[in-house]
Amino acid sequence: MTHISVEVNGKTYERDVDPRLLLVHFLREELELTGTNIGCETSLCGACTIHMDGKTVKSCTQLAVQADGSSITTIEGLSTDGKLHPLQEAFWEKHGLQCGYCTPGMIMAACGLLEDNPDPSEQQIRHGLKGNLCRCTGYHNIVKAVQYAAELMRAGNPEGGK
Amino acid sequence: MYPARFEYYRANTLQEAIHLLQQHSGAKLLAGGHSLIPIMKLRLAQPPVLIDIGRISELSGVMKTDGRLRIGSLTTHAMLAASEAVKKHCPILAEAAGQIADPAVRNKGTIGGNLAHADPGSDLPAVTLALDGVIHITGRDGDRQVNASDFFLDLLTTDLKPEEVLTAVELPALEERTGSCYLKFEHPASGYAVCGAAAIVALGGDESCERAGLCFNGVTATPYRASAVTEALAGQNLEDATIDQAVTEHLSIDDPMGDTYASGPYRVELAKVYSKRALKTARDRARS
Ligand SMILES: Cc1cc2nc3c(=O)[nH]c(=O)nc-3n(C[C@H](O)[C@H](O)[C@H](O)COP(=O)(O)OP(=O)(O)OC[C@H]3O[C@@H](n4cnc5c(N)ncnc54)[C@H](O)[C@@H]3O)c2cc1C
Ligand code: FES
Ligand code: FES
Protein backbone atom coordinates (compact mmCIF):
# COMPACT_ATOMS: atom_id res chain seq x y z
CA MET A 1 0.00 0.00 0.00
CA THR A 2 1.17 3.51 -0.77
CA HIS A 3 -0.07 6.56 1.08
CA ILE A 4 -1.40 9.34 -1.14
CA SER A 5 -2.94 12.73 -0.55
CA VAL A 6 -4.99 14.15 -3.40
CA GLU A 7 -7.12 17.26 -3.63
CA VAL A 8 -10.28 16.51 -5.58
CA ASN A 9 -12.75 19.29 -6.34
CA GLY A 10 -11.28 21.41 -3.58
CA LYS A 11 -11.32 18.73 -0.87
CA THR A 12 -8.21 16.85 0.28
CA TYR A 13 -8.40 13.07 0.59
CA GLU A 14 -5.75 10.88 2.25
CA ARG A 15 -5.81 7.18 1.42
CA ASP A 16 -3.61 4.09 1.39
CA VAL A 17 -3.89 2.57 -2.08
CA ASP A 18 -2.59 -0.45 -3.94
CA PRO A 19 -0.08 0.99 -6.47
CA ARG A 20 -1.88 -0.76 -9.32
CA LEU A 21 -5.14 1.08 -8.61
CA LEU A 22 -6.00 3.22 -11.61
CA LEU A 23 -6.89 6.84 -10.95
CA VAL A 24 -10.34 6.41 -12.49
CA HIS A 25 -11.13 3.55 -10.07
CA PHE A 26 -9.82 5.64 -7.18
CA LEU A 27 -12.21 8.44 -8.11
CA ARG A 28 -15.21 6.20 -8.73
CA GLU A 29 -14.84 3.47 -6.15
CA GLU A 30 -12.78 5.02 -3.36
CA LEU A 31 -14.20 8.56 -3.46
CA GLU A 32 -17.57 7.55 -4.98
CA LEU A 33 -17.33 10.28 -7.59
CA THR A 34 -19.03 8.29 -10.33
CA GLY A 35 -19.49 11.21 -12.73
CA THR A 36 -16.23 10.25 -14.41
CA ASN A 37 -17.09 7.32 -16.68
CA ILE A 38 -15.13 4.36 -17.96
CA GLY A 39 -15.72 3.69 -21.63
CA CYS A 40 -12.96 1.80 -23.35
CA GLU A 41 -10.32 1.31 -20.65
CA THR A 42 -7.76 1.50 -23.46
CA SER A 43 -7.00 5.24 -23.48
CA LEU A 44 -9.00 5.88 -26.62
CA CYS A 45 -12.52 7.09 -25.80
CA GLY A 46 -11.94 9.95 -23.35
CA ALA A 47 -14.99 9.13 -21.16
CA CYS A 48 -12.64 9.21 -18.16
CA THR A 49 -11.17 12.67 -18.87
CA ILE A 50 -10.47 14.81 -15.80
CA HIS A 51 -8.21 17.75 -15.01
CA MET A 52 -5.02 17.09 -13.10
CA ASP A 53 -3.12 20.21 -12.05
CA GLY A 54 -5.07 22.15 -14.67
CA LYS A 55 -4.43 19.77 -17.58
CA THR A 56 -6.79 17.31 -19.25
CA VAL A 57 -5.79 13.73 -18.53
CA LYS A 58 -7.34 10.32 -19.24
CA SER A 59 -7.75 8.93 -15.75
CA CYS A 60 -7.86 5.32 -16.97
CA THR A 61 -4.24 5.72 -18.05
CA GLN A 62 -2.84 7.03 -14.78
CA LEU A 63 -2.19 5.28 -11.52
CA ALA A 64 -3.73 6.78 -8.40
CA VAL A 65 -0.22 6.94 -6.91
CA GLN A 66 0.84 9.23 -9.77
CA ALA A 67 -1.80 11.71 -8.60
CA ASP A 68 -0.27 12.02 -5.12
CA GLY A 69 0.01 15.69 -4.21
CA SER A 70 -1.92 16.86 -7.23
CA SER A 71 -5.11 18.85 -7.56
CA ILE A 72 -7.89 17.19 -9.55
CA THR A 73 -11.14 18.49 -10.95
CA THR A 74 -13.84 16.08 -12.08
CA ILE A 75 -17.20 16.82 -13.68
CA GLU A 76 -18.69 17.05 -10.16
CA GLY A 77 -16.39 19.97 -9.42
CA LEU A 78 -17.30 22.16 -12.38
CA SER A 79 -20.47 23.82 -11.15
CA THR A 80 -20.14 26.43 -8.44
CA ASP A 81 -22.76 27.31 -5.83
CA GLY A 82 -25.38 25.23 -7.60
CA LYS A 83 -24.83 27.15 -10.81
CA LEU A 84 -23.93 25.12 -13.89
CA HIS A 85 -20.62 25.76 -15.61
CA PRO A 86 -21.18 27.49 -19.00
CA LEU A 87 -20.19 24.25 -20.75
CA GLN A 88 -22.80 22.27 -18.81
CA GLU A 89 -25.37 24.90 -19.60
CA ALA A 90 -24.38 24.90 -23.27
CA PHE A 91 -24.53 21.09 -23.62
CA TRP A 92 -28.03 21.26 -22.17
CA GLU A 93 -29.11 24.21 -24.31
CA LYS A 94 -27.66 22.92 -27.61
CA HIS A 95 -28.55 19.24 -27.10
CA GLY A 96 -24.90 18.26 -27.00
CA LEU A 97 -25.78 14.82 -25.61
CA GLN A 98 -28.10 11.91 -26.12
CA CYS A 99 -27.29 9.00 -23.81
CA GLY A 100 -24.84 11.21 -21.93
CA TYR A 101 -22.17 8.57 -21.42
CA CYS A 102 -19.42 10.54 -23.13
CA THR A 103 -20.58 13.86 -21.73
CA PRO A 104 -18.54 14.21 -18.52
CA GLY A 105 -15.31 13.48 -20.41
CA MET A 106 -16.40 15.58 -23.37
CA ILE A 107 -17.09 18.58 -21.12
CA MET A 108 -13.79 18.22 -19.23
CA ALA A 109 -11.90 18.01 -22.53
CA ALA A 110 -13.81 20.99 -23.93
CA CYS A 111 -13.03 22.92 -20.77
CA GLY A 112 -9.30 22.32 -21.28
CA LEU A 113 -9.66 23.35 -24.91
CA LEU A 114 -11.40 26.65 -24.04
CA GLU A 115 -8.81 27.48 -21.42
CA ASP A 116 -6.09 27.28 -24.07
CA ASN A 117 -8.17 28.88 -26.79
CA PRO A 118 -11.21 30.95 -25.71
CA ASP A 119 -12.41 31.46 -29.30
CA PRO A 120 -11.81 28.24 -31.24
CA SER A 121 -12.93 27.64 -34.82
CA GLU A 122 -15.11 24.62 -35.63
CA GLN A 123 -12.01 22.86 -36.93
CA GLN A 124 -10.08 23.60 -33.74
CA ILE A 125 -12.95 22.26 -31.63
CA ARG A 126 -13.14 19.04 -33.62
CA HIS A 127 -9.37 18.68 -33.44
CA GLY A 128 -9.25 19.49 -29.73
CA LEU A 129 -11.89 16.87 -28.95
CA LYS A 130 -10.20 14.21 -31.05
CA GLY A 131 -9.53 12.04 -28.01
CA ASN A 132 -13.20 11.91 -27.01
CA LEU A 133 -15.60 9.55 -28.75
CA CYS A 134 -19.38 9.84 -28.85
CA ARG A 135 -21.53 7.01 -30.17
CA CYS A 136 -24.77 8.99 -30.27
CA THR A 137 -24.67 12.58 -31.40
CA GLY A 138 -22.55 12.55 -34.53
CA TYR A 139 -20.62 15.37 -32.82
CA HIS A 140 -22.55 18.13 -34.56
CA ASN A 141 -24.36 19.41 -31.48
CA ILE A 142 -21.29 18.90 -29.34
CA VAL A 143 -19.44 21.36 -31.55
CA LYS A 144 -22.35 23.78 -31.35
CA ALA A 145 -22.43 23.44 -27.57
CA VAL A 146 -18.74 24.21 -27.27
CA GLN A 147 -19.10 27.23 -29.53
CA TYR A 148 -22.02 28.46 -27.44
CA ALA A 149 -20.11 27.88 -24.19
CA ALA A 150 -17.18 29.82 -25.61
CA GLU A 151 -19.54 32.71 -26.29
CA LEU A 152 -20.99 32.54 -22.80
CA MET A 153 -17.54 32.42 -21.25
CA ARG A 154 -16.20 35.30 -23.31
CA ALA A 155 -19.24 37.39 -22.42
CA GLY A 156 -18.90 36.54 -18.73
CA ASN A 157 -15.16 36.93 -18.58
CA PRO A 158 -13.43 39.11 -21.16
CA GLU A 159 -10.08 37.47 -20.34
CA GLY A 160 -11.55 34.11 -21.41
CA GLY A 161 -11.17 30.84 -19.54
CA LYS A 162 -12.75 29.87 -16.25
CA MET B 1 -8.52 -3.92 -16.51
CA TYR B 2 -5.94 -3.91 -13.76
CA PRO B 3 -2.21 -4.23 -14.17
CA ALA B 4 -0.59 -7.17 -12.34
CA ARG B 5 0.69 -6.29 -8.87
CA PHE B 6 3.96 -4.41 -8.60
CA GLU B 7 5.96 -2.49 -6.03
CA TYR B 8 6.04 1.27 -6.51
CA TYR B 9 8.85 3.70 -5.74
CA ARG B 10 9.08 7.36 -6.58
CA ALA B 11 12.45 8.90 -7.45
CA ASN B 12 12.78 12.61 -6.78
CA THR B 13 16.19 13.00 -8.39
CA LEU B 14 18.10 11.34 -11.19
CA GLN B 15 20.58 9.90 -8.65
CA GLU B 16 17.71 8.35 -6.70
CA ALA B 17 16.37 6.78 -9.89
CA ILE B 18 19.78 5.26 -10.71
CA HIS B 19 20.09 4.01 -7.16
CA LEU B 20 16.62 2.42 -7.19
CA LEU B 21 17.37 0.76 -10.54
CA GLN B 22 20.47 -0.81 -8.96
CA GLN B 23 18.46 -2.12 -6.04
CA HIS B 24 15.56 -3.66 -7.95
CA SER B 25 16.33 -5.94 -10.84
CA GLY B 26 13.53 -6.16 -13.38
CA ALA B 27 12.29 -2.69 -12.44
CA LYS B 28 10.77 -0.46 -15.13
CA LEU B 29 10.84 3.32 -15.19
CA LEU B 30 7.49 5.10 -15.29
CA ALA B 31 7.51 8.50 -17.04
CA GLY B 32 4.15 9.68 -18.45
CA GLY B 33 2.82 6.12 -18.36
CA HIS B 34 1.04 6.44 -21.69
CA SER B 35 2.78 3.51 -23.30
CA LEU B 36 3.62 1.48 -20.21
CA ILE B 37 0.28 1.58 -18.35
CA PRO B 38 -1.75 0.46 -21.42
CA ILE B 39 0.50 -2.57 -21.96
CA MET B 40 0.49 -3.36 -18.24
CA LYS B 41 -3.32 -3.27 -18.23
CA LEU B 42 -3.29 -5.76 -21.11
CA ARG B 43 -0.74 -7.80 -19.08
CA LEU B 44 1.66 -7.68 -22.01
CA ALA B 45 4.12 -6.31 -19.44
CA GLN B 46 4.21 -7.32 -15.79
CA PRO B 47 7.18 -5.56 -14.25
CA PRO B 48 7.61 -6.47 -10.56
CA VAL B 49 8.71 -2.94 -9.69
CA LEU B 50 7.91 0.51 -11.09
CA ILE B 51 10.16 3.47 -10.44
CA ASP B 52 8.24 6.68 -11.03
CA ILE B 53 10.54 9.33 -12.51
CA GLY B 54 7.65 11.58 -13.54
CA ARG B 55 8.50 14.34 -11.06
CA ILE B 56 12.24 14.70 -11.54
CA SER B 57 12.22 18.36 -12.50
CA GLU B 58 15.86 18.37 -13.67
CA LEU B 59 14.78 16.05 -16.53
CA SER B 60 12.08 18.36 -17.89
CA GLY B 61 12.39 21.36 -20.16
CA VAL B 62 14.09 22.75 -23.26
CA MET B 63 17.48 24.50 -23.20
CA LYS B 64 19.25 26.25 -26.08
CA THR B 65 23.04 26.35 -26.08
CA ASP B 66 25.32 27.31 -28.95
CA GLY B 67 23.48 25.96 -31.93
CA ARG B 68 21.93 22.98 -30.13
CA LEU B 69 18.71 22.27 -28.30
CA ARG B 70 18.86 20.06 -25.26
CA ILE B 71 15.48 18.57 -24.47
CA GLY B 72 14.99 16.90 -21.12
CA SER B 73 13.54 13.40 -21.36
CA LEU B 74 10.45 14.26 -19.30
CA THR B 75 9.42 17.13 -21.57
CA THR B 76 5.85 16.32 -22.63
CA HIS B 77 4.54 16.31 -26.17
CA ALA B 78 2.32 19.29 -25.26
CA MET B 79 5.37 21.23 -24.01
CA LEU B 80 7.29 20.42 -27.22
CA ALA B 81 4.40 21.55 -29.42
CA ALA B 82 4.06 24.83 -27.49
CA SER B 83 7.74 25.64 -26.88
CA GLU B 84 8.88 28.83 -28.63
CA ALA B 85 12.47 27.55 -28.73
CA VAL B 86 11.42 24.27 -30.36
CA LYS B 87 9.12 26.02 -32.84
CA LYS B 88 11.91 28.39 -33.81
CA HIS B 89 14.93 26.09 -33.90
CA CYS B 90 13.46 22.60 -34.50
CA PRO B 91 10.01 23.26 -35.95
CA ILE B 92 9.70 19.68 -37.21
CA LEU B 93 9.76 18.38 -33.64
CA ALA B 94 6.97 20.74 -32.57
CA GLU B 95 5.04 19.77 -35.70
CA ALA B 96 5.37 16.04 -34.97
CA ALA B 97 4.68 16.33 -31.23
CA GLY B 98 1.53 18.34 -31.97
CA GLN B 99 0.24 15.47 -34.11
CA ILE B 100 0.57 12.81 -31.42
CA ALA B 101 -2.80 11.32 -30.48
CA ASP B 102 -4.93 13.94 -28.69
CA PRO B 103 -4.45 16.77 -26.17
CA ALA B 104 -4.88 14.53 -23.09
CA VAL B 105 -2.25 12.05 -24.30
CA ARG B 106 0.09 14.93 -25.20
CA ASN B 107 -0.26 16.33 -21.68
CA LYS B 108 1.23 13.15 -20.20
CA GLY B 109 3.44 11.46 -22.80
CA THR B 110 7.12 12.41 -22.80
CA ILE B 111 9.82 12.51 -25.46
CA GLY B 112 12.04 10.22 -23.38
CA GLY B 113 9.29 7.63 -22.99
CA ASN B 114 8.45 7.88 -26.66
CA LEU B 115 12.04 7.17 -27.75
CA ALA B 116 12.74 4.57 -25.04
CA HIS B 117 9.57 2.65 -25.85
CA ALA B 118 10.50 2.69 -29.56
CA ASP B 119 7.05 1.79 -30.85
CA PRO B 120 7.36 1.65 -34.65
CA GLY B 121 4.16 3.74 -34.95
CA SER B 122 5.47 6.52 -32.69
CA ASP B 123 6.13 9.92 -34.20
CA LEU B 124 9.31 11.12 -32.53
CA PRO B 125 11.85 8.39 -33.48
CA ALA B 126 12.07 9.26 -37.20
CA VAL B 127 12.18 12.98 -36.40
CA THR B 128 15.06 12.45 -33.98
CA LEU B 129 16.86 10.33 -36.56
CA ALA B 130 16.29 12.80 -39.41
CA LEU B 131 17.76 15.55 -37.21
CA ASP B 132 20.78 13.36 -36.34
CA GLY B 133 19.90 13.71 -32.67
CA VAL B 134 22.10 12.52 -29.85
CA ILE B 135 20.57 10.57 -26.97
CA HIS B 136 21.98 11.27 -23.49
CA ILE B 137 21.93 8.36 -21.09
CA THR B 138 22.95 8.06 -17.44
CA GLY B 139 23.68 4.83 -15.60
CA ARG B 140 25.63 3.60 -12.59
CA ASP B 141 28.94 4.27 -14.33
CA GLY B 142 28.09 7.80 -15.41
CA ASP B 143 26.90 9.45 -18.59
CA ARG B 144 27.14 8.29 -22.17
CA GLN B 145 25.84 9.52 -25.51
CA VAL B 146 24.48 7.55 -28.43
CA ASN B 147 23.67 8.78 -31.91
CA ALA B 148 20.05 8.29 -32.90
CA SER B 149 21.31 6.14 -35.79
CA ASP B 150 22.72 3.64 -33.26
CA PHE B 151 19.91 3.91 -30.69
CA PHE B 152 16.97 2.07 -32.28
CA LEU B 153 17.92 -1.60 -32.52
CA ASP B 154 14.70 -3.45 -33.25
CA LEU B 155 10.95 -3.47 -32.61
CA LEU B 156 10.49 -1.91 -29.13
CA THR B 157 14.22 -2.38 -28.53
CA THR B 158 16.85 0.31 -28.03
CA ASP B 159 20.42 0.60 -26.90
CA LEU B 160 19.26 1.49 -23.34
CA LYS B 161 20.35 -1.01 -20.67
CA PRO B 162 17.76 -2.01 -18.07
CA GLU B 163 19.51 -0.01 -15.35
CA GLU B 164 19.96 3.18 -17.39
CA VAL B 165 17.92 6.38 -17.67
CA LEU B 166 17.48 8.37 -20.87
CA THR B 167 18.07 11.90 -19.60
CA ALA B 168 17.94 14.18 -22.66
CA VAL B 169 17.87 14.43 -26.42
CA GLU B 170 20.24 16.85 -28.09
CA LEU B 171 19.26 18.24 -31.48
CA PRO B 172 20.88 20.74 -33.82
CA ALA B 173 19.11 24.07 -34.17
CA LEU B 174 18.14 24.26 -37.83
CA GLU B 175 19.84 27.08 -39.68
CA GLU B 176 18.58 29.72 -42.10
CA ARG B 177 17.52 28.33 -45.47
CA THR B 178 16.70 24.98 -43.91
CA GLY B 179 13.13 23.75 -44.09
CA SER B 180 11.55 20.74 -42.43
CA CYS B 181 8.25 18.91 -42.46
CA TYR B 182 6.62 16.00 -40.63
CA LEU B 183 3.60 14.48 -42.31
CA LYS B 184 1.76 11.38 -41.24
CA PHE B 185 -0.92 9.02 -42.33
CA GLU B 186 -2.38 8.10 -39.00
CA HIS B 187 -4.29 5.10 -37.80
CA PRO B 188 -7.84 6.42 -37.54
CA ALA B 189 -8.48 4.96 -34.08
CA SER B 190 -5.21 5.28 -32.18
CA GLY B 191 -3.56 8.11 -34.07
CA TYR B 192 -0.29 6.17 -34.32
CA ALA B 193 1.66 6.57 -37.55
CA VAL B 194 0.85 4.03 -40.25
CA CYS B 195 3.45 6.01 -42.16
CA GLY B 196 5.08 9.20 -40.91
CA ALA B 197 7.61 11.04 -43.07
CA ALA B 198 10.19 13.42 -41.59
CA ALA B 199 11.91 15.55 -44.24
CA ILE B 200 14.63 18.17 -43.90
CA VAL B 201 16.02 20.24 -46.75
CA ALA B 202 18.95 22.69 -46.57
CA LEU B 203 19.40 24.97 -49.58
CA GLY B 204 22.69 26.48 -50.72
CA GLY B 205 23.22 30.02 -52.01
CA ASP B 206 22.26 28.99 -55.54
CA GLU B 207 18.96 27.40 -54.41
CA SER B 208 20.29 23.90 -54.97
CA CYS B 209 19.96 21.23 -52.32
CA GLU B 210 22.95 21.33 -50.02
CA ARG B 211 21.74 18.58 -47.72
CA ALA B 212 18.56 16.62 -47.18
CA GLY B 213 17.25 14.14 -44.66
CA LEU B 214 14.33 11.74 -45.01
CA CYS B 215 13.18 9.21 -42.40
CA PHE B 216 10.00 7.23 -41.79
CA ASN B 217 8.03 5.96 -38.83
CA GLY B 218 5.56 3.13 -39.09
CA VAL B 219 6.96 1.38 -42.16
CA THR B 220 9.74 -0.75 -40.68
CA ALA B 221 10.48 -2.09 -37.19
CA THR B 222 12.90 0.76 -36.51
CA PRO B 223 12.79 4.25 -38.02
CA TYR B 224 13.98 4.01 -41.61
CA ARG B 225 16.45 6.41 -43.19
CA ALA B 226 16.04 6.80 -46.97
CA SER B 227 19.66 7.71 -47.72
CA ALA B 228 19.49 6.77 -51.40
CA VAL B 229 16.77 9.38 -51.99
CA THR B 230 18.57 12.20 -50.22
CA GLU B 231 21.89 11.34 -51.91
CA ALA B 232 20.13 11.61 -55.26
CA LEU B 233 18.81 15.04 -54.28
CA ALA B 234 22.15 16.50 -53.14
CA GLY B 235 23.35 19.30 -55.41
CA GLN B 236 20.12 19.23 -57.44
CA ASN B 237 17.77 22.07 -58.08
CA LEU B 238 14.69 20.89 -56.23
CA GLU B 239 11.93 21.13 -58.80
CA ASP B 240 8.84 19.04 -58.11
CA ALA B 241 9.81 16.67 -60.89
CA THR B 242 13.30 16.20 -59.41
CA ILE B 243 11.84 15.22 -56.05
CA ASP B 244 9.25 12.90 -57.62
CA GLN B 245 11.92 11.19 -59.68
CA ALA B 246 14.36 10.76 -56.79
CA VAL B 247 11.66 9.15 -54.65
CA THR B 248 10.31 6.95 -57.43
CA GLU B 249 13.72 5.70 -58.47
CA HIS B 250 15.53 5.47 -55.15
CA LEU B 251 13.02 4.63 -52.43
CA SER B 252 12.95 0.89 -51.92
CA ILE B 253 12.17 -0.64 -48.57
CA ASP B 254 12.81 -4.37 -48.41
CA ASP B 255 11.34 -5.40 -45.08
CA PRO B 256 8.20 -3.36 -44.36
CA MET B 257 5.90 -4.27 -41.47
CA GLY B 258 2.32 -5.23 -42.14
CA ASP B 259 -0.75 -5.84 -40.03
CA THR B 260 -4.50 -6.23 -40.45
CA TYR B 261 -4.88 -2.51 -40.96
CA ALA B 262 -2.13 -1.85 -43.50
CA SER B 263 0.00 -4.37 -45.39
CA GLY B 264 3.73 -3.91 -45.92
CA PRO B 265 3.49 -3.02 -49.63
CA TYR B 266 0.73 -0.50 -48.85
CA ARG B 267 2.94 1.17 -46.23
CA VAL B 268 5.73 1.44 -48.80
CA GLU B 269 3.33 3.13 -51.21
CA LEU B 270 2.33 5.54 -48.46
CA ALA B 271 6.00 6.25 -47.80
CA LYS B 272 6.47 7.23 -51.45
CA VAL B 273 3.51 9.59 -51.47
CA TYR B 274 4.26 11.12 -48.07
CA SER B 275 7.95 11.60 -48.75
CA LYS B 276 7.23 13.53 -51.95
CA ARG B 277 4.79 15.77 -50.10
CA ALA B 278 7.02 16.24 -47.07
CA LEU B 279 10.13 17.00 -49.16
CA LYS B 280 8.26 19.58 -51.24
CA THR B 281 6.86 21.28 -48.15
CA ALA B 282 10.31 21.30 -46.51
CA ARG B 283 11.75 22.83 -49.68
CA ASP B 284 9.06 25.53 -49.78
CA ARG B 285 9.72 26.35 -46.15
CA ALA B 286 13.47 26.55 -46.80
CA ARG B 287 12.85 28.99 -49.63
CA SER B 288 10.54 31.29 -47.68
C1 LIG C 1 -4.34 6.49 -27.00
C2 LIG C 1 -2.89 6.71 -27.27
C3 LIG C 1 -2.50 7.16 -28.52
C4 LIG C 1 -1.15 7.39 -28.79
N1 LIG C 1 -0.83 7.85 -30.03
C5 LIG C 1 0.47 8.14 -30.30
C6 LIG C 1 0.85 8.71 -31.55
O1 LIG C 1 0.03 9.00 -32.42
N2 LIG C 1 2.17 8.95 -31.77
C7 LIG C 1 3.10 8.71 -30.82
O2 LIG C 1 4.28 8.98 -31.06
N3 LIG C 1 2.79 8.18 -29.63
C8 LIG C 1 1.49 7.90 -29.35
N4 LIG C 1 1.17 7.39 -28.11
C9 LIG C 1 2.23 7.07 -27.16
C10 LIG C 1 2.60 8.26 -26.32
O3 LIG C 1 3.30 9.22 -27.08
C11 LIG C 1 3.43 7.82 -25.13
O4 LIG C 1 3.23 8.76 -24.15
C12 LIG C 1 4.92 7.72 -25.35
O5 LIG C 1 5.22 6.85 -26.41
C13 LIG C 1 5.60 7.15 -24.11
O6 LIG C 1 5.93 8.19 -23.24
P1 LIG C 1 5.58 8.09 -21.71
O7 LIG C 1 6.25 9.22 -21.05
O8 LIG C 1 4.13 7.97 -21.55
O9 LIG C 1 6.36 6.75 -21.29
P2 LIG C 1 5.97 5.57 -20.31
O10 LIG C 1 4.72 4.91 -20.75
O11 LIG C 1 6.05 6.02 -18.91
O12 LIG C 1 7.21 4.61 -20.58
C14 LIG C 1 7.33 3.89 -21.81
C15 LIG C 1 8.58 3.00 -21.76
O13 LIG C 1 9.77 3.78 -21.79
C16 LIG C 1 10.53 3.60 -20.61
N5 LIG C 1 11.02 4.92 -20.22
C17 LIG C 1 10.26 6.04 -20.06
N6 LIG C 1 11.03 7.10 -19.78
C18 LIG C 1 12.31 6.65 -19.74
C19 LIG C 1 13.57 7.28 -19.50
N7 LIG C 1 13.67 8.58 -19.25
N8 LIG C 1 14.69 6.50 -19.54
C20 LIG C 1 14.60 5.18 -19.82
N9 LIG C 1 13.44 4.54 -20.06
C21 LIG C 1 12.32 5.25 -20.02
C22 LIG C 1 9.60 2.97 -19.61
O14 LIG C 1 10.29 2.18 -18.68
C23 LIG C 1 8.69 2.17 -20.49
O15 LIG C 1 9.28 0.96 -20.84
C24 LIG C 1 -0.18 7.16 -27.80
C25 LIG C 1 -0.55 6.70 -26.55
C26 LIG C 1 -1.90 6.49 -26.26
C27 LIG C 1 -2.28 6.02 -24.90
S1 FES D 1 -11.97 4.91 -20.43
FE1 FES D 1 -10.22 6.19 -20.43
S2 FES D 1 -10.04 6.70 -22.48
FE2 FES D 1 -11.72 5.33 -22.54
S1 FES E 1 -24.16 11.06 -25.96
FE1 FES E 1 -24.09 8.92 -26.01
S2 FES E 1 -21.97 8.56 -26.24
FE2 FES E 1 -22.10 10.66 -26.49
Side-chain angles (χ1 to χ4, degrees):
Chain A
M1 288 292 188
T2 302
H3 187 75
I4 62 169
S5 164
V6 189
E7 187 192 307
V8 182
N9 302 331
K11 192 171 157 197
T12 302
Y13 298 87
E14 307 248 349
R15 291 286 192 283
D16 289 319
V17 298
D18 186 338
R20 68 173 172 161
L21 181 69
L22 298 173
L23 180 56
V24 70
H25 293 302
F26 175 73
L27 295 170
R28 289 177 54 86
E29 285 152 31
E30 197 57 53
L31 308 187
E32 297 185 352
L33 292 168
T34 51
T36 303
N37 283 337
I38 302 174
C40 65
E41 287 195 88
T42 51
S43 327
L44 293 170
C45 76
C48 63
T49 307
I50 55 150
H51 292 186
M52 195 163 148
D53 294 328
K55 296 202 167 75
T56 54
V57 169
K58 292 180 175 179
S59 61
C60 74
T61 314
Q62 285 291 283
L63 304 169
V65 285
Q66 285 176 287
D68 183 25
S70 69
S71 166
I72 286 176
T73 308
T74 67
I75 188 73
E76 289 94 340
L78 269 196
S79 61
T80 38
D81 305 326
K83 194 172 172 308
L84 292 182
H85 184 278
L87 269 163
Q88 294 172 308
E89 203 178 313
F91 268 67
W92 181 333
E93 198 58 43
K94 297 290 173 189
H95 306 285
L97 61 146
Q98 287 176 22
C99 79
Y101 201 82
C102 69
T103 313
M106 204 59 93
I107 287 182
M108 296 313 287
C111 191
L113 168 71
L114 294 183
E115 265 161 40
D116 290 343
N117 181 357
D119 190 11
S121 64
E122 173 179 345
Q123 205 50 41
Q124 287 169 327
I125 293 173
R126 289 184 183 273
H127 198 70
L129 296 179
K130 192 176 158 201
N132 294 73
L133 304 181
C134 174
R135 304 202 305 174
C136 306
T137 63
Y139 302 98
H140 208 65
N141 285 354
I142 292 178
V143 174
K144 284 190 192 161
V146 177
Q147 284 168 326
Y148 182 55
E151 265 173 52
L152 291 177
M153 287 163 77
R154 287 199 306 275
N157 173 5
E159 301 291 301
K162 264 202 289 194
Chain B
M1 276 200 291
Y2 276 82
R5 277 185 207 287
F6 55 86
E7 280 175 51
Y8 172 86
Y9 298 95
R10 184 183 301 147
N12 294 308
T13 63
L14 177 58
Q15 277 321 312
E16 248 177 72
I18 305 280
H19 187 67
L20 285 163
L21 282 169
Q22 298 301 312
Q23 283 180 325
H24 303 281
S25 77
K28 273 267 172 207
L29 296 174
L30 176 69
H34 272 51
S35 289
L36 187 54
I37 295 174
I39 59 172
M40 285 176 65
K41 289 204 291 186
L42 296 168
R43 308 269 171 131
L44 293 173
Q46 306 195 6
V49 177
L50 282 194
I51 299 170
D52 188 351
I53 56 171
R55 300 186 190 201
I56 304 181
S57 50
E58 62 191 291
L59 294 184
S60 176
V62 179
M63 234 170 53
K64 165 124 198 308
T65 44
D66 40 84
R68 322 264 309 159
L69 281 187
R70 188 190 159 99
I71 298 170
S73 59
L74 287 178
T75 311
T76 63
H77 308 323
M79 287 163 74
L80 291 175
S83 158
E84 290 306 325
V86 176
K87 283 194 275 189
K88 177 149 187 261
H89 301 292
C90 263
I92 188 172
L93 181 62
E95 189 173 31
Q99 290 179 48
I100 291 178
D102 58 63
V105 171
R106 294 197 290 273
N107 280 337
K108 278 288 154 188
T110 67
I111 184 169
N114 198 287
L115 299 178
H117 192 60
D119 189 308
S122 280
D123 290 302
L124 304 185
V127 174
T128 308
L129 183 62
L131 287 165
D132 291 316
V134 177
I135 316 285
H136 289 243
I137 296 169
T138 302
R140 188 189 53 187
D141 304 325
D143 302 338
R144 67 185 183 102
Q145 300 178 7
V146 185
N147 291 331
S149 49
D150 299 321
F151 182 72
F152 301 102
L153 301 182
D154 204 343
L155 196 77
L156 304 172
T157 309
T158 69
D159 186 52
L160 275 169
K161 311 270 179 312
E163 68 286 355
E164 288 182 325
V165 181
L166 193 167
T167 53
V169 185
E170 196 184 313
L171 301 169
L174 296 183
E175 291 171 0
E176 294 278 296
R177 315 263 311 143
T178 300
S180 62
C181 175
Y182 184 72
L183 265 188
K184 80 163 155 172
F185 182 93
E186 62 177 51
H187 189 285
S190 70
Y192 277 102
V194 177
C195 169
I200 298 172
V201 170
L203 297 178
D206 59 353
E207 291 283 304
S208 71
C209 172
E210 206 168 77
R211 209 166 30 81
L214 179 64
C215 297
F216 304 107
N217 291 310
V219 184
T220 45
T222 56
Y224 184 89
R225 195 199 288 272
S227 310
V229 176
T230 48
E231 278 160 22
L233 290 174
Q236 301 279 336
N237 222 325
L238 294 184
E239 299 308 324
D240 282 0
T242 320
I243 292 176
D244 290 346
Q245 191 187 355
V247 171
T248 310
E249 287 180 6
H250 297 284
L251 184 63
S252 70
I253 302 175
D254 296 332
D255 46 356
M257 299 183 305
D259 61 16
T260 47
Y261 181 72
S263 69
Y266 176 59
R267 286 174 199 253
V268 174
E269 281 310 301
L270 284 174
K272 288 184 186 160
V273 174
Y274 277 71
S275 48
K276 288 176 190 168
R277 289 184 194 165
L279 283 166
K280 288 173 196 171
T281 305
R283 172 206 60 197
D284 293 345
R285 289 174 178 172
R287 283 179 180 166
S288 66

